[in-house]
Amino acid sequence: MCGIMGYVGKEEAWPIVVGGLRRLEYRGYDSAGVVTVSRKRLRLARSVGHLRALEDSHPEGLPGTVGIGHTRWATHGGVTQANCHPHLDSAQRIAIVHNGIIDNVEALRKELVAQGVEFRSETDTEVLAELIGREVAAGRGLRDAVLRALRRIEGTAGIVAVDRNDPERLVAARIGSPVVIGLGDGACWVASDALALRPYTDRMVVLEDSEIAEISPDGVRTVDLDERDRDKRVEKILHRPEEAEKGDYEHFMLKEIWEQPLALDRSMRGRLDAGMGSSRLGGLETHEQRLFDIRRVVFCACGTSLYSAQVGAYLMNRYARMPATAEDAAELAVQNPIVDRHTLYVAISQSGETADTLGALREIRLRGGLVAGITNVVGSSLARETDFGTYVHAGPEISVCSTKAFTAQVLATELLSLRFARMRDLGANEGRAWVAALEKLPAQTQGMLEQWQLCKQMAERFQAAPYTMFIGRGINVPVASEGALKLKEIAYVSAEGLSGGGMKHGPLALIEPGLPVWALVPPDETRERMLGNLRELEARGAYIIAVAAADDTEVAELVDTVVPLPPHHPTVSPMLTVVPLQLYAYYVALAKGYDIDKPRNLAKSVTVM
Ligand code: M6R
């Protein structure tokens, strides 16, 4: 949600900090601010709205070679300039930016007000700034001051602080909210997301929970909350800077939709074992012996990732004959889950920072459960906190609306299911057929993308439809839900993804002449029953757009438009059927003129529960 960027070095900090914040814009925010230090004074610029407003209000920028900035998504207090970060202590000596929520803020605020402090904002961050400021005023260095202040708070905090009397240094800390530090020659950068660092460096240090770092132009020194030195590994930032840029595309979402063949190819590279008809997942192999004892798989995730998890659960049940479910992580975390040693929990998250998913995996691990992670973001909290895992390597996903991460996550669940299937019931020939199907997938996905004009036509025709239905059966029920989620999220159209089997039990009442219904009818075991659904819809005058085999004449006769599917193995169909639904949502939103990459009310990474 919120973004943090900081710099300490020899260059002017303002353009670097604002540039970093711009690369974090995709996370969603409602106000922005920067502090620099110059001539032992804190220089502050804050503004409600987009970064452009901040820049317009300070066309010259702010002077100084050290600076911190923040894009804020309001939690404590409304969207006002006074609530924007950075926040200063009452002595105007230190400034901080903060991601996260301080749960015991009211008690702390009361205590400080009783001591005469007059707060200027409604934020929890200003309370933390005051706590740090008081420690500094008592003669402590900034790092010790931050440390002591953090010991007093309950909640989450990714922070960066600066002291006007010690401007050659920043102090950053991570209590549950990500902080990464980029290393350069005579300069360091600090951010809440490696994407902001990549234009400057490809070397970073990732703070673990409860670590504090002192950052100077010469490097970083990290300690834990007990002030013990921590040896930090320097990690490589893997993506190229241009991967996080729009290039010739009008929107990141369109770029990311079109990147799917490449992302799938990258994601499966080196992971298919054509000879054995199986898969190799690096992280998995380190726990192979334990996997033979697994009797149940529980996926957990949120939003789009939950739909990929549902595909995974289907594959596990159907092909690996492994009992599996997909749980909404937000629910699982609070349900007092029964955790047993023969269950493998698989947490899926594009960002690896979704608070609900992290909450669920922490709860499970606390009870001794074995948790695997599937994520796109290297070094994310999910990657660090799971027992083992796999990266989907889809490349940076910037648009709030997730597309390529969905297909790459589905692919990861395919590889996992294939591995389990081969450990259990699936014969070598069937395994080889599955591998062959996966190998064809990038080219087939490309073929689905080539149908963009048809999807655009449909979108323009139905852009004003107030409601759209998506139906599927079996492995395509989650895809129907995903299609509906895309349309809700970026085109603000009321939409539902339903199982064909449930239609007669209620939703059929919604059908009226001309209502757009997307029906997923691949040539698998669900086809016959889906034909029944198509007849019901046709009889009631719905406009049916079917995603079906190119040569399926029976479907073609029942529906208004067919988006053709290539011949494919039934296991891989979600990664093909979802493509036209993504394109359709994109073109409906485009026709309506909406802010596609940053839909209203939403953030890319939901780091609060
Ligand atoms: O980063 P995650 O995959 O954990 O995010 C989970 C959801 O917030 C996310 O998939 C959300 O539903 C997307 N914006 C949907 O496009």
Side-chain angles (χ1 to χ4, degrees):
M1 286 183 146
C2 308
I4 287 177
M5 179 70 182
Y7 171 76
V8 52
K10 305 265 175 294
E11 292 175 43
E12 282 300 296
W14 171 269
I16 295 172
V17 173
V18 173
L21 293 179
R22 180 151 289 121
R23 273 176 288 277
L24 301 179
E25 273 188 312
Y26 75 99
R27 300 168 72 94
Y29 67 104
D30 46 44
S31 52
V34 173
V35 148
T36 60
V37 187
S38 159
R39 299 182 186 195
K40 295 222 164 173
R41 266 185 54 209
L42 295 174
R43 315 283 176 136
L44 176 66
R46 299 189 297 192
S47 168
V48 166
H50 276 201
L51 274 172
R52 170 69 45 216
L54 182 74
E55 288 177 301
D56 289 348
S57 66
H58 290 77
E60 310 283 306
L62 296 172
T65 55
V66 56
I68 56 177
H70 191 261
T71 43
R72 170 175 188 255
W73 176 279
T75 52
H76 282 73
V79 184
T80 64
Q81 188 157 327
N83 287 337
C84 286
H85 298 211
H87 286 284
L88 278 49
D89 66 326
S90 52
Q92 317 263 304
R93 175 168 167 186
I94 64 106
I96 68 165
V97 289
H98 164 224
N99 283 355
I101 293 181
I102 301 172
D103 296 331
N104 59 335
V105 67
E106 286 319 323
L108 294 169
R109 195 195 307 273
K110 235 189 218 162
E111 179 189 313
L112 291 166
V113 168
Q115 292 169 25
V117 179
E118 286 178 27
F119 286 105
R120 289 145 295 180
S121 79
E122 304 156 274
T123 63
D124 50 355
T125 305
E126 194 186 359
V127 173
L128 181 56
E130 186 61 28
L131 290 176
I132 298 170
R134 294 190 148 225
E135 299 291 347
V136 169
R140 292 193 176 83
L142 185 60
R143 191 195 74 186
D144 290 352
V146 168
L147 224 144
R148 292 173 79 99
L150 287 179
R151 285 193 190 124
R152 299 213 52 206
I153 67 158
E154 289 160 22
T156 50
I159 69 162
V160 186
V162 62
D163 176 357
R164 68 162 192 227
N165 291 351
D166 185 11
E168 286 290 291
R169 193 180 320 277
L170 297 174
V171 170
R174 172 180 185 152
I175 310 283
S177 194
V179 176
V180 288
I181 300 159
L183 308 174
D185 289 332
C188 280
W189 303 260
V190 54
S192 50
D193 183 328
L195 270 181
L197 306 179
R198 185 61 188 90
Y200 308 107
T201 181
D202 64 353
R203 294 185 305 132
M204 69 171 171
V205 159
V206 181
L207 289 194
E208 302 288 345
D209 233 7
S210 307
E211 285 185 345
I212 301 197
E214 231 170 356
I215 309 163
S216 71
D218 303 325
V220 182
R221 184 173 164 222
T222 308
V223 296
D224 63 19
L225 287 184
D226 298 319
E227 294 182 73
R228 283 177 303 222
D229 274 320
R230 304 278 295 195
D231 252 349
K232 299 298 291 179
R233 197 161 53 93
V234 177
E235 301 186 30
K236 196 138 177 81
I237 304 176
L238 292 174
H239 71 268
R240 296 187 307 274
E242 62 275 17
E243 280 186 84
E245 278 155 26
K246 250 190 294 201
D248 293 336
Y249 288 91
E250 202 177 337
H251 296 100
F252 277 110
M253 179 180 176
L254 192 62
K255 175 174 180 252
E256 288 158 8
I257 290 174
W258 279 86
E259 279 174 346
Q260 288 177 107
L262 188 72
L264 288 170
D265 185 51
R266 193 159 53 186
S267 210
M268 69 177 85
R269 207 171 298 154
R271 290 172 165 175
L272 295 177
D273 184 342
M276 294 303 291
S278 186
S279 66
R280 295 185 211 99
L281 285 170
L284 203 71
E285 275 154 20
T286 54
H287 283 69
E288 202 156 48
Q289 277 319 307
R290 227 178 136 182
L291 296 183
F292 283 100
D293 293 333
I294 296 298
R295 306 270 173 271
R296 182 173 73 121
V297 173
V298 175
F299 291 92
C300 69
C302 295
T304 285
S305 297
L306 177 58
Y307 298 135
S308 71
Q310 288 172 356
V311 173
Y314 182 92
L315 291 166
M316 281 285 175
N317 284 304
R318 172 79 177 73
Y319 296 98
R321 308 303 295 151
M322 170 74 85
T325 54
E327 309 288 339
D328 183 337
E331 290 298 315
L332 191 71
V334 294
Q335 271 173 2
N336 199 5
I338 299 168
V339 173
D340 75 86
R341 287 173 40 83
H342 297 290
T343 298
L344 173 66
Y345 298 86
V346 184
I348 307 182
S349 169
Q350 187 286 131
S351 61
E353 300 296 347
T354 297
D356 288 320
T357 309
L358 294 176
L361 79 84
R362 286 173 190 150
E363 190 63 33
I364 291 160
R365 290 194 80 205
L366 181 89
R367 292 161 191 239
L370 181 67
V371 183
I374 294 177
T375 185
N376 191 30
V377 179
V378 176
S380 58
S381 301
L382 183 130
R384 287 168 183 271
E385 293 187 34
T386 42
D387 293 291
F388 59 93
T390 189
Y391 288 118
V392 301
H393 297 308
E397 191 182 68
I398 308 289
S399 183
V400 166
C401 190
S402 184
T403 51
K404 64 176 178 176
F406 174 78
T407 42
Q409 285 166 185
V410 169
L411 177 68
T413 72
E414 300 254 345
L415 298 174
L416 190 64
S417 304
L418 172 58
R419 185 76 189 90
F420 271 109
R422 291 288 287 120
M423 282 161 67
R424 295 162 70 89
D425 274 355
L426 200 77
N429 282 341
E430 291 158 294
R432 285 188 201 109
W434 193 342
V435 169
L438 290 170
E439 281 170 337
K440 282 191 207 142
L441 201 58
Q444 291 187 325
T445 310
Q446 185 66 36
M448 296 307 290
L449 288 166
E450 306 299 343
Q451 301 179 51
W452 66 273
Q453 276 161 314
L454 179 54
C455 300
K456 185 167 184 251
Q457 262 171 35
M458 291 297 105
E460 284 165 0
R461 178 171 183 154
F462 292 108
Q463 59 171 294
Y467 172 71
T468 303
M469 192 179 271
F470 295 80
I471 64 166
R473 284 177 184 254
I475 199 169
N476 275 294
V477 176
V479 182
S481 304
E482 172 63 1
L485 181 64
K486 299 297 87 162
L487 198 60
K488 285 185 256 200
E489 186 177 12
I490 56 165
Y492 316 147
V493 175
S494 176
E496 272 176 303
L498 300 163
S499 121
M503 288 293 284
K504 282 201 193 76
H505 302 287
L508 203 54
L510 291 168
I511 305 298
E512 51 187 46
L515 181 91
V517 179
W518 279 83
L520 309 176
V521 204
D524 62 17
E525 65 214 3
T526 65
R527 178 180 167 278
E528 282 308 309
R529 285 174 183 268
M530 280 302 292
L531 285 178
N533 287 126
L534 296 183
R535 289 188 194 100
E536 289 160 3
L537 291 165
E538 190 211 15
R540 287 157 184 85
Y543 186 100
I544 312 172
I545 311 156
V547 185
D551 59 357
D552 196 330
T553 49
E554 217 174 337
V555 169
E557 273 167 28
L558 284 168
V559 307
D560 298 278
T561 297
V562 175
V563 181
L565 283 168
H568 60 276
H569 192 279
T571 50
V572 304
S573 86
M575 290 168 282
L576 300 172
T577 54
V578 77
V579 174
L581 311 190
Q582 297 168 337
L583 288 165
Y584 178 75
Y586 173 80
Y587 284 113
V588 174
L590 188 71
K592 292 173 128 183
Y594 292 150
D595 189 353
I596 294 183
D597 287 329
K598 290 188 220 100
R600 67 186 183 202
N601 307 337
L602 298 179
K604 179 66 180 162
S605 178
V606 185
T607 51
V608 290
M609 287 196 176

